[in-house]
Each structure stands twice: as C-alpha cells, then as structure tokens.
Amino acid sequence: MTGAAYLMAGLRSRRAEWLAAAVAVGIFVAFLASLGSFVAQSRSELTVRAAAAVPLDWQVQLTAGADTAAAEQALRKVPDLVAVRAVDYARVPGLRSTSATGTRTTGAAYVVSLPPDYAAFAPRELRPLLGAATGVLLQQQTAANLAAGPGAAIAVLGGGSAATATVDGVVDLPAADSFFQVVGAPAGAGASAPPDNVLLVPSAVFGRLIGKAAVVHQLHATFRHDRLPADPAAAYDLSAARANHYASAVAGAALVGNDLGAALLGAREDAVYAQLLVLLLGVPGVVLAGVVCGLVVALRRDRQSRELGLLRLRGATPLRSALLVGATAGADGVLGCLLGLAGARLALRVALGSGARLSPGWTVGACVAGVALAIVIELGPVLRLVRRGAPTVQEAVGSAPTTRLPLPLRLGADGILVAVSALVFWLTARSGYSVVVVPEGIPVASVNYAALLAPALAWPGLALLCWRVTAAVLSRVRRPPAADTAGAVRDVRSAVVRQRRRLVARGATGLAVAIAVTVSTAIFTTTYDRQARVDVSLTVGSDVAVTLPPDSRGVTLDPTVARVPGVQAVEAMQHRLAYVGPDLQDLYGINARTVGRAAPLQNAFTPGSTVKAALARLASRPDGALLAQETLHDYQLHEGDLVRLRLQDGQGRYVTIPFHVAGVVTEFATAPRDSFIVANASYIASTTGSSAVETLLVRTTHPAQVGAAIRNRVPAGATVADTQSANATVTSATGLAAGNLAGLAKLTLGFGFLLAVASSVLALVVGSAQRRRTLVVVALLGATPRQRAGFLWTEARAMVLAGLAAGLAVGAVIAAELVKVLTGIFDPAPEHPAVPIGLLAGLIAVVLVGSAVTTGISARVMGRVDPARLREG
Amino acid sequence: MSLSSAADVVLEYGGRRILDGLDLTIETGDQYAVTGRSGSGKTTLLLVMAGLLPPTRGRATLGVPSREISYVPQTPSLIPELSALDNAALGLRFRGIAPVHAAEQAREALVLLGLGDATDALPSELSGGMQQRVAIARAVVLAPRLLLADEPTGTLDRSAGAQVLAVLRDLATRHETALLVATHDPEIAALFPHQLALADGRVVA
C-alpha cells in the first residue's frame, strides 16, 4: 500500500479521528504562535513607548574649551538625527523682583538660553501656564517665590545693573529633572534635584543677563524613533553605541546625556519582566496544550496497533510501517497547523486588538513544533510496537489496569520537588524576591533564574502530589453492598473505580493542571489589575481628582463643586510646598480621620504599621507629620522627633513651623514617588493662616462621567483627572502597561478555559473508550442504559471532582508563589492575591457542564452493542 | 415455544456475505451444536439468533425478552477490575437480586465449574480457560431461556471442557434452557442432540 493510498483510506474511514487530532494540534499551534507573537509585539511596544516617553533624546554637554561648531558638525553626522539646538545655562546667585508689595529675592537660580523655536523642538520640556510661550519665561515655582507674572521686571543677581528682563510668560518644566541633569555623572550617582528657581531667556539677551557667571554649553538632539530595533535591548545597544561613537568622534570634547538610552535601559528591564510573565504564565499553558495534543493524537494508538499488525502481516517492513504512520501524523500536523494559524490570528485579534499581527518567526516555529509533536507522539508508540510486536486482543483487554503508582511517585518525586520548591521560595523570600537584578552601576538587567525554580519545581511537584492524593483517596473509597434491590450496583461501580484509580488519578491530574494554569493566571492578573487600579488611583489621587498647582494663593477649591450625581465621597486636601532643610518637598494637608473615604489606602504605604494605625497616630497629634523613609534617614529623624518645616503663609512669606514625626509614608494620593510629607490640614491652616484647598479627591463608581460633570464647575487653572481616562496611559513602576498583561491574560485565560474543558472531555472520552468493552459486556448481561451509564458517571464524578478540587488548590498555591516571586512587577505591592470569584465560578461551571455532556454522550454511544467488538472478542 | 427464529436470513458484513439464506428456529429445551471451519459464519449465526446483529435481509425474531437470553463470547469477556465472584454475580445484580443472594448463587456456579478457590481473583490473575469458565458461570446463574455460547471449551483442556459441558447440560435439564453452542470439536458436537454444519454461511448438514 502506498503512503498516499494509506492516507486517503484513513481520511475516508476515520474523519472524526483525523479532525480531533488536527484540532488538538491546531490548539497547540495557535497557543504557541499567538503567545510568541504577543511576546514579539509587546517587546516592540515597550521600545516604542519608552522612546516616546523621552522629552529629549540626547543632551550633549561640551567640555571647557571645546569647539562648539565642530561638536555640532559631528553630531549632525550621527545616523537618524532629526534636529539639534544649542542651549546654554548659567548658575547665578539669585533673582529679584520688585512690586508694590515689596521686593523678593530667591536663592541660587539658573538662567537658561533657549533658541526661539525650542518649544516646538522639544514640546514636552516646556508647558506654558501664563502669558507668552516664548521670550523671557519664568518657571512656575520661581514665579510663586517672586510673586511675579507676565510684565514683571526680574533682576538677575550678579549680572550687573543691566541684568534685568521683563517676564513674557510663566511656564512649567515637566522634565526639569532630566533637563538639569549632571551630564556625565558616574552611573549610580543618583538623580540630582532640579533647581527651584529658573529663568528662561532668548539667546540674544542671555549674555547680558548672566554677567561673568560660568556658562554650560549644551547641544540638545532628537532622533528618529521609528528606526530603532523592536527589541528594547537591541535598541538600547544601538543608542549607547552611537553615543559612544560620537564621544570618540569629538575626542572627549563632549559628554552625552543619553536620555533615550536611559529610557530604553528601563524598557529592557521591563522586557525581562515581560519575558518572565510569559515564562511563568504562558509556558505552563503551552506545555499543557502539548500534553492535551498528545492525548488526542494518542487516541488513535489502539487502532494503529491493529493496523500495524495487518501491515506487518502483509509484509510491510518496520521502516515502511513507521513511514506510513509518520505520514499520517504529518498530515495531522499540517492540517492542525492550518487550523492553528487561523486560531492564532483570531486569538491575537481578540486579545490584542485588530492591529495585532502574527510574528513570522514564531508562526513558523509553532508550525514546525506542531508537526513534530504530532509525529513524535504518534510514531513513538508505533516504533515500540514495531520493536516488540502488537499485543494480542486478550492482552489488551483482559488485564486489569495496574493500581501501582508510577515510578516518579514511588521514588517520592512529588515530595522532593515540593520540598525543594518551598526551600527555593523561602530563600527567594529572604532576598526580597529579587527576580530581576539590576546591579547599580552596571547597565545590565539580568534575571535571577534561581528564583524561578520555585514555581518551576512546584508545577510538576504539585501535579504529582495531586496524582498521589487522588489515588490514595480512591483506594480508600469502599461502598458497602447494602440491600441493593434496584440494581444500582454502586458498590460494584466504586470497586471498578477503585481498581482503575491510577487511570482516574492520571485524568484528574491532567484536569487539575489545566485548571491550575487558568486559576493561577486569573488570580495573578486580577491581583495585577487591582494593583494597577490602585496605582492609577494613586497617580490620579482617587477615582476623580481636582487639583490646583501647589500654593495657589488666592484660589481655593470648594468641595461643593464636586458634589454631582454619582459621587460617593469628597475629601478636601491641601497641597503646599515645604522646605525640609534645603529640600523642597510636597506637603499634603489632610483630615486623617476621613481621608480614607476617598483616597486609596494600603498598608504598604506605611511600612512598619497599618495605614489605619499610622493615620490614627497622625490624627491624635495635631502637629504630627508622616515623612518619607529617605527624609527620615537623611535627616536622622525618628518618630516623635521635632522637625521644622518652612512653608509659605497666606501672604506668600516663608515661615518656619514645628512638626513632630508621626511615622513613615511611602505613597499617598497624588503624591510624587520621591519624598513628600503628609500632615494635618487643620494644623497647616492654623499655622499658615491659609485654609486654601488645592486638591479634591472624589470617590465614585463612574469616574469618566463624574469627571466630565465636575470639569465644568471648577475654577480656571484647576485640572480634573479621572482613573478611567488615565488608565490607558499610566504605567506601573516597571513600565509594563496594564494592556500588556491584559493581552497575555486574555491569551492564557482563553486557552486555559479551552484546555480545561478539553482536558476533562478528553480524559472522559479516553476513559469511556477504554471502558467500551465493559459497557458492551454489561449490556449483554441485561444492564439497562441507566445502569450502563452509571459506570461512566461514577468514574467521571471521581475524576472531575478530584481534578477541580486539586486544580483550584494548585492554582491558588502557584498564584501565591507567582505574586510573591514577581513582587517587583506590582506597584504598589499587593497585601494578598485577589481572587476573581466570578471567573473561577465560570470555569467550574464550564468544566462541569462539559464533563456532564461528554459523559452523557459517551454513555449513549459506548453502551451500544457493537457486533464488530464482539466478533473481535 | 419458539425462543428465537431466523427465516431466509442473509447477513453481509464488510462487503462479504457471512450468512446466506439461513433458516433456523430454536425452541424451549433445544440443544444445538453449530460446527464449521473458521470463517464459516458460526459466530455471526449466534449473534443473529441472540438478537444482537440484525440481518441484512430476511427476518430474525426473538420469542422472549432479550434478558432471557445469555450470550457467551468466544474470548473471555470479564470486567477486568472485578473479582471472579463479582463478575459472576453481576448479571444477577443488574436484575435487582440482593448482593448477598447474588454472591451465593455466583459462588455455587463457580464451585460447579471448578473455580471455588479463585472467587476473589481478578481476571488478570486467571488463565484464559478459567476466565472462560467464569464467563459461563455468569451466564448460567441467570438461568436464561436461551444460552448461546461461542466455542465455550475452545481454551479449555479436556477435563475442564467436560466440566463446562456438564454444567451447561445440567442447566438445560433443570431449567429447560435451550442451548446453541458453536464448536469446531466434532467430539463435543456429537454430545448434542442437534447439529448444524455451516460452510460459507449456509447450513450444509
């Protein structure tokens, strides 16, 4: 028989078998291709997002005596350069303004020379607030310090009598940290604080204003981002290499502040986290898909052993037999690939949107893997049969399934794996769950793969443990015969299941793993989602937040403006600026007893105590203040210590006010990620004489609608933000946008559901097929359809219930491990995993319904007396 | 009373004609031995007469409910997960006989067939012949009106074969059970009052 004839004969006579095998291969290919394409796409997105977030790509600082023209000429030769602008600045002793209310003088200030089109060149460096966007511009904080605005005359101290300029506008410098960075600072030196006082002037007047102050010459450059490699690591390498090449080209005449490279370096760390997520959430699913695929393909093994015997009887050599079976498997694989590619396209569209594309490399890889899997699974047992000879029918059907545990369990592999996993987990916990290691001063993000051993070992360990426990429980289930006059034969059915416990336990373990993959992914992503919402909520301040710039004297927010339909609570908060020593920090004045009604609060915000206790301490001490850990450390402060803060009073004068340290705070609504202070609003109001409110925190279940309603009621200058609008743009501390994980979660959960149902259905179909002869025999003995079905239902009940229980338990354990091991991915860190009850209930319902339908159909189909089977023996 | 009858039955299977114009009526107390070479249609005849295989053409009729008919396949058809005793008692249990009574009757049948020491053994612990005897015990305890056995002594030695035949004939005597036994052994066939010789699906003698 030729291969083609064998194939065609098989296709004609076993269509359902072929289709089942092809669908199984298709699921595997679809999962692998879509997961791989997701990885490729998310890496590319990380690069694009990181590059897009950089306000300025390079800040090239010329060294003393350097030839500016030559440096600029060399810079213009760097590939993909878009534009270059010269920016100079000088540090002066201070700025002074004089008005009807008196003269005000600042401390040290920076005067910056900008080209006229700088706002268009780097739009995210300057944000106009008042007056003109070009000309002489005063930074917002400086304007507040000098009580100056457009039209005010500003004198530059140290610049001589002619060093005065008239202010054209007030601007914010959103990226002041990087704008005033110390270019060429050694790695790990830490960021320098941006200056408090800045005057931005046209280059034409710069020289006149600064007098003899030392000038720092810089060239600001932007590059094309669309030509960066998709992989963040490769993009970083390219950017860093170009910076190094330029530095060598100008022979040390310039230092490069590579902001683009720094952003890509961060993205590279994010990419490592994304890779970890795929490893920990996606790979178990792919392995499971492979196992399910193997189960389906192996369903043909029984028939193939008979066909193989026939082929050999007709003189086919073992090689020829293997080639014929291999051709069948290959055809399964090819058909499966076609189905898989369609499935992968669909999955990507559903998970990532219509713009998602399959990655060519991953697609080819998935197809090769699918075909290889089908061939290996189908051919392996056949090769064994060729070597040993096919079993006789009596050997195949007459022997009871063994009750002996498989070798790994007899060797105690489950206990060993779980114990080692627990040990690794404990060691990882001791090191603070540092899975992604970014050593200071070394621009390399590496993965502490040892930490991943905990979940990697827990998976097989817990799966084997499920097998052991299920088998042990089933071996103890004994139902006494009692007075069974209805012919229910429950005792007989339970004896059969007891004897088949190894097979039932195997099926339950497969189902448990499938459910655990889904459960662990669901819990992990729900926890991530919850923390991401907290993160967005923290960034915004609450579900909706109305904010004025800090110390907005003369303007205050009235809480009644936020009382619109749909609002559950409104909290007023002061936002001032206060000096702790020389550091200017944000100060938030709250009502500690009520702030929790609208502000997101978690215990992680107040290390060493619960947030409730910390706020209670603050409330009990009117002059109390919660300070950042860094502030406490830098100023050697402890709880109860006196700390004097300088802040502006109602007239804008700085006054010194005593506070006492009431505790530590790391995060708070609307607060920046660095140092800040939380104190009692009533104390701030009484000591500064200003009860002005700069922030309103609004709790609602409809952030977008409420935000829109409030937007029309707030005074000019106030900003209204809501979590719904911000959700798409705010990223976590690791930079992973919520959308990335959502895409992965959709893929894994979707395929997880599919695999959970497939596992239960397949295990039941395989079990029913194995019991076919038994069912025929009991039919011959006069068993009614109900009595025959009882055999299948008993086994199905045992397997599905054990699989569900074990799957939920294993999924919960793995999820808890993942949440701990990947603590770094969460911001803020979760107090405990979040359990998606609805989703889990849906999963259980789907598995139960799928199992019930399968068992019902199997009972009808398998119980029919098939003369062919009787004739076979 | 007619327990099962076939009139001009033709049966084709897999493109091949297995039975070709068969006419047969089995009445209460009849004892038939069906002989013929391998592939002559013996098993198919038994399946048709048991009502398990509908003919392609012609008419096959059962005169009693199907549960009054027992069929013992050629190869042992025990449930591999149950002991010999549970296997033998299973048919009774399906009929609602209390477990204790079913076990008693099954044990008696097993003892009669020389398996008194093997009641707790699983099928995989029994030889092929012992398994076949358990299958016969399971059929016998049901006291059917018609018992069809396909090569019941094929895997047994002469002594065990005689034991099985004695049990079958005792059953026929005590309960007027009709017997239709397929065999390739002329000596066994000679023990039956009626003999049907099959060749190419036709009764030739």
Side-chain angles (χ1 to χ4, degrees):
Chain A
M1 181 182 260
T2 64
Y6 181 81
L7 266 178
M8 293 314 293
L11 262 176
R12 273 196 303 272
S13 60
R14 307 277 176 177
R15 285 197 194 95
E17 220 174 66
W18 269 73
L19 193 62
V23 167
V25 173
I27 292 175
F28 173 74
V29 170
F31 197 2
L32 191 56
S34 53
L35 191 66
S37 300
F38 165 79
V39 171
Q41 182 162 329
S42 63
R43 275 174 178 268
S44 169
E45 276 178 6
L46 284 173
T47 302
V48 171
R49 207 165 45 231
V54 180
L56 191 62
D57 294 338
W58 282 12
Q59 284 176 246
V60 178
Q61 186 159 311
L62 305 181
T63 51
D67 180 346
T68 307
E72 185 171 339
Q73 196 177 8
L75 187 56
R76 290 189 182 280
K77 289 179 183 168
V78 177
D80 299 331
L81 182 88
V82 173
V84 180
R85 295 291 182 273
V87 174
D88 297 336
Y89 64 79
R91 191 170 189 271
V92 296
L95 302 173
R96 180 184 298 139
S97 72
T98 305
S99 66
T101 57
T103 298
R104 296 184 185 221
T105 304
T106 69
Y110 280 82
V111 179
V112 182
S113 158
L114 295 178
D117 64 345
Y118 192 82
F121 165 77
R124 277 184 291 145
E125 289 285 8
L126 293 179
R127 187 162 67 96
L129 295 177
L130 284 172
T134 57
V136 176
L137 306 171
L138 211 50
Q139 187 211 16
Q140 175 196 11
Q141 178 58 37
T142 314
N145 291 344
L146 294 173
I154 302 295
V156 178
L157 302 184
S161 57
T164 58
T166 303
V167 175
D168 295 309
V170 176
V171 296
D172 181 26
L173 297 176
D177 286 16
S178 64
F179 192 96
F180 291 101
Q181 68 180 290
V182 180
V183 176
S192 56
D196 296 337
N197 299 300
V198 181
L199 180 66
L200 307 159
V201 300
S203 43
V205 299
F206 178 68
R208 175 171 62 81
L209 293 175
I210 62 163
K212 293 180 181 171
V215 177
V216 174
H217 299 287
Q218 287 193 348
L219 295 171
H220 289 187
T222 56
F223 292 88
R224 290 186 64 158
H225 293 165
D226 57 339
R227 292 192 178 168
L228 286 170
D231 179 47
Y236 166 76
D237 288 344
L238 180 69
S239 179
R242 283 176 176 172
N244 291 337
H245 182 78
Y246 171 74
S248 67
V250 296
L255 299 168
V256 180
N258 188 352
D259 297 347
L260 176 63
L264 292 171
L265 189 61
R268 187 161 76 163
E269 185 187 343
D270 298 339
V272 174
Y273 268 112
Q275 182 185 325
L276 285 175
L277 279 174
V278 170
L279 272 177
L280 293 171
L281 298 181
V283 169
V286 171
V287 171
L288 178 67
V291 172
V292 169
C293 175
L295 270 175
V296 178
V297 176
L299 279 174
R300 305 151 65 121
R301 201 173 296 168
D302 184 36
R303 179 182 59 77
Q304 275 184 332
S305 72
R306 290 199 300 273
E307 288 182 356
L308 199 67
L310 280 172
L311 285 171
R312 294 185 65 190
L313 272 176
R314 292 173 186 174
T317 62
L319 179 62
R320 184 160 180 75
S321 305
L323 284 175
L324 286 173
V325 174
T328 312
D332 270 347
V334 171
L335 189 57
C337 286
L338 295 175
L339 292 173
L341 292 184
R345 281 175 65 91
L346 181 68
L348 271 186
R349 274 171 181 268
V350 171
L352 303 178
S354 57
R357 296 276 178 277
L358 281 173
S359 151
W362 277 99
T363 304
V364 171
C367 289
V368 170
V371 174
L373 186 68
I375 291 177
V376 167
I377 289 169
E378 207 156 347
L379 209 53
V382 172
L383 289 177
R384 275 204 301 278
L385 286 172
V386 168
R387 213 169 45 243
R388 294 179 191 166
T392 64
V393 172
Q394 190 169 330
E395 281 171 347
V397 301
S399 59
T402 179
T403 54
R404 203 177 179 202
L405 288 172
L407 183 65
L409 284 176
R410 295 203 301 277
L411 295 175
D414 52 336
I416 294 168
L417 288 168
V418 170
V420 175
S421 168
L423 179 66
V424 172
F425 183 66
W426 178 69
L427 291 172
T428 312
R430 283 205 331 170
S431 70
Y433 309 107
S434 302
V435 179
V436 176
V437 182
V438 189
E440 291 223 346
I442 302 171
V444 173
S446 65
V447 177
N448 174 14
Y449 281 104
L452 302 183
L453 270 179
L457 295 175
W459 270 115
L462 291 172
L464 287 171
L465 191 60
C466 287
W467 190 318
R468 182 190 292 281
V469 171
T470 305
V473 170
L474 290 178
S475 72
R476 282 165 178 74
V477 174
R478 282 179 198 279
R479 193 180 276 272
D484 176 23
T485 53
V489 295
R490 290 200 179 85
D491 57 314
V492 176
R493 278 153 36 190
S494 99
V496 170
V497 170
R498 191 167 61 247
Q499 201 63 34
R500 286 172 54 81
R501 58 182 176 268
R502 177 172 165 155
L503 299 174
V504 176
R506 188 179 67 181
T509 302
L511 176 59
V513 171
I515 288 171
V517 166
T518 314
V519 168
S520 59
T521 304
I523 293 178
F524 184 86
T525 51
T526 305
T527 306
Y528 184 91
D529 193 41
R530 186 187 63 186
Q531 296 310 110
R533 279 204 304 276
V534 171
D535 188 25
V536 172
S537 202
L538 270 174
T539 306
V540 170
S542 185
D543 299 318
V544 177
V546 185
T547 52
L548 283 169
D551 285 325
S552 297
R553 281 185 307 282
V555 189
T556 184
L557 290 172
D558 180 356
T560 57
V561 301
R563 300 213 184 277
V564 297
V567 168
Q568 294 162 341
V570 179
E571 273 296 305
M573 192 164 79
Q574 296 164 342
H575 182 195
R576 310 287 170 83
L577 295 169
Y579 279 99
V580 184
D583 290 343
L584 190 64
Q585 296 188 7
D586 293 89
L587 169 68
Y588 297 93
I590 62 165
N591 181 337
R593 294 187 204 283
T594 60
V595 71
R597 294 188 309 183
L601 298 175
Q602 291 210 336
N603 290 334
F605 299 174
T606 51
S609 89
T610 64
V611 70
K612 196 173 170 184
L615 289 175
R617 278 200 307 279
L618 182 64
S620 66
R621 182 154 203 167
D623 65 346
L626 302 174
L627 277 76
Q629 186 80 58
E630 191 183 313
T631 308
L632 294 180
H633 175 264
D634 290 349
Y635 293 91
Q636 287 294 291
L637 294 168
H638 302 92
E639 195 170 325
D641 285 356
L642 172 70
V643 55
R644 295 178 195 279
L645 305 180
R646 272 197 314 134
L647 54 158
Q648 289 182 331
D649 62 11
Q651 280 72 50
R653 291 178 306 229
Y654 275 97
V655 291
T656 302
I657 299 171
F659 286 83
H660 281 88
V661 179
V664 189
V665 64
T666 56
E667 301 204 53
F668 202 76
T670 72
R673 292 192 190 281
D674 51 7
S675 301
F676 63 92
I677 306 156
V678 176
N680 289 304
S682 54
Y683 182 68
I684 295 172
S686 66
T687 51
T688 62
S690 167
S691 58
V693 170
E694 286 87 5
T695 302
L696 295 177
L697 305 178
V698 182
R699 175 60 53 87
T700 174
T701 51
H702 302 93
Q705 293 91 319
V706 166
I710 294 176
R711 210 159 276 130
N712 302 323
R713 298 159 56 105
V714 297
T719 307
V720 179
D722 67 84
T723 49
Q724 215 160 314
S725 311
N727 199 30
T729 52
V730 175
T731 57
S732 73
T734 64
L736 276 177
N740 261 11
L741 186 67
L744 178 62
K746 277 184 189 168
L747 279 180
T748 309
L749 287 177
F751 279 102
F753 263 75
L754 196 62
L755 290 170
V757 174
S759 296
S760 60
V761 167
L762 277 171
L764 293 171
V765 167
V766 170
S768 301
Q770 289 168 343
R771 314 291 307 284
R772 186 163 202 162
R773 187 175 168 78
T774 293
L775 295 175
V776 171
V777 168
V778 298
L780 287 177
L781 291 173
T784 61
R786 189 184 174 85
Q787 286 170 323
R788 294 201 298 264
F791 281 85
L792 292 185
W793 283 108
T794 302
E795 187 165 314
R797 197 162 46 233
M799 196 203 78
V800 173
L801 291 182
L804 271 174
L808 291 173
V810 172
V813 170
I814 295 283
E817 263 197 2
L818 291 182
V819 168
K820 284 292 183 190
V821 168
L822 291 176
T823 291
I825 216 166
F826 296 101
D827 181 37
E831 286 162 18
H832 52 77
V835 181
I837 300 291
L839 199 142
L840 297 189
L843 176 67
I844 293 169
V846 165
V847 169
L848 287 178
V849 169
S851 303
V853 170
T854 306
T855 307
I857 293 173
S858 296
R860 288 176 69 90
V861 174
M862 304 293 179
R864 289 182 194 143
V865 177
D866 180 359
R869 298 228 157 231
L870 291 170
R871 291 173 64 84
E872 283 166 3
Chain B
M1 179 191 179
S2 169
L3 302 175
S4 176
S5 65
D8 196 20
V9 162
V10 172
L11 193 133
E12 291 171 348
Y13 190 83
R16 207 161 66 87
R17 182 165 290 198
I18 313 289
L19 295 178
D20 189 3
L22 178 82
D23 289 295
L24 177 64
T25 299
I26 301 172
E27 299 195 337
T28 304
D30 283 350
Q31 295 183 27
Y32 281 93
V34 184
T35 58
R37 288 188 306 170
S38 188
S40 60
K42 300 190 295 290
T43 300
T44 307
L45 169 65
L46 262 62
L47 289 170
V48 169
M49 298 309 289
L52 296 172
L53 194 57
T56 311
R57 280 200 300 279
R59 201 175 56 172
T61 315
L62 293 183
V64 288
S66 60
R67 60 168 43 197
E68 296 288 330
I69 299 171
S70 284
Y71 171 75
V72 182
Q74 183 174 2
T75 50
S77 54
L78 303 182
I79 295 176
E81 297 88 0
L82 295 179
S83 67
L85 183 66
D86 287 340
N87 262 293
L90 195 55
L92 293 171
R93 296 291 309 278
F94 284 135
R95 283 161 170 74
I97 306 295
V100 175
H101 299 306
E104 270 175 23
Q105 293 178 45
R107 192 182 302 278
E108 281 174 18
L110 288 172
V111 170
L112 278 175
L113 285 158
L115 294 171
D117 296 334
T119 52
D120 293 331
L122 289 172
S124 56
E125 295 163 346
L126 302 173
S127 67
M130 293 166 90
Q131 288 183 39
Q132 185 67 324
R133 280 184 279 164
V134 175
I136 290 166
R138 187 176 60 190
V140 165
V141 294
L142 295 174
R145 304 283 298 277
L146 169 60
L147 191 150
L148 306 101
D150 194 354
E151 299 281 5
T153 59
T155 54
L156 305 179
D157 58 31
R158 189 160 291 276
S159 152
Q163 203 171 15
V164 166
L165 284 175
V167 168
L168 290 178
R169 291 170 71 180
D170 177 61
L171 175 76
T173 307
R174 282 201 291 156
H175 299 284
E176 286 200 312
T177 298
L179 297 178
L180 185 60
V181 175
T183 180
H184 63 277
D185 186 341
E187 284 186 32
I188 290 175
L191 297 173
F192 285 76
H194 305 290
Q195 292 174 22
L196 292 173
L198 285 183
D200 297 329
R202 290 168 175 272
V203 178
V204 292

